[in-house]
Amino acid sequence: MPRIPIVTNGIYRSIEHRATVDTEKERLSIATFYNPNVDAQIGPVNSLITEETPALYRTLECQEYFKGLFGRKLDGKAYIDAMKLDSAEH
């Protein structure tokens, strides 16, 4: 599942899920997941890329994205940082 900031080119950000108990009010949480086709491209949506808002993240085939995500060393950095384009690549 690609992170929301990659697909939305940083316009929408994922939030950390936190829940608190409210004894007065009922709460319902629904988790949703999506898995693109392995041949799909993972990257910012084309309609969000303009001269004013250039791509912030690279585009990869889905299988390459997951290879990088699951094959990386745990060096303290998030994989989303590896997906960011350098300013010279814009």
Side-chain angles (χ1 to χ4, degrees):
M1 291 171 276
R3 303 264 319 259
I4 295 297
I6 295 171
V7 176
T8 66
N9 200 38
I11 294 170
Y12 299 106
R13 302 209 177 267
S14 301
I15 61 167
E16 183 178 332
H17 181 78
R18 290 181 279 176
T20 58
V21 177
D22 185 343
T23 58
E24 313 239 343
K25 206 174 196 182
E26 194 172 287
R27 179 193 158 125
L28 175 66
S29 293
I30 301 172
T32 60
F33 301 93
Y34 66 97
N35 289 316
N37 186 312
V38 294
D39 296 329
Q41 296 285 310
I42 303 297
V45 175
N46 289 336
S47 62
L48 299 176
I49 307 302
T50 66
E51 283 189 30
E52 295 81 26
T53 58
L56 300 176
Y57 298 91
R58 62 187 81 251
T59 298
L60 300 171
E61 285 190 8
C62 184
Q63 61 188 356
E64 291 301 316
Y65 173 84
F66 283 116
K67 279 183 190 176
L69 177 64
F70 295 121
R72 70 187 184 94
K73 292 182 180 180
L74 298 176
D75 60 3
K77 293 185 179 181
Y79 184 60
I80 195 168
D81 293 333
M83 291 291 294
K84 287 183 181 175
L85 291 171
D86 295 331
S87 57
E89 293 181 70
H90 286 204

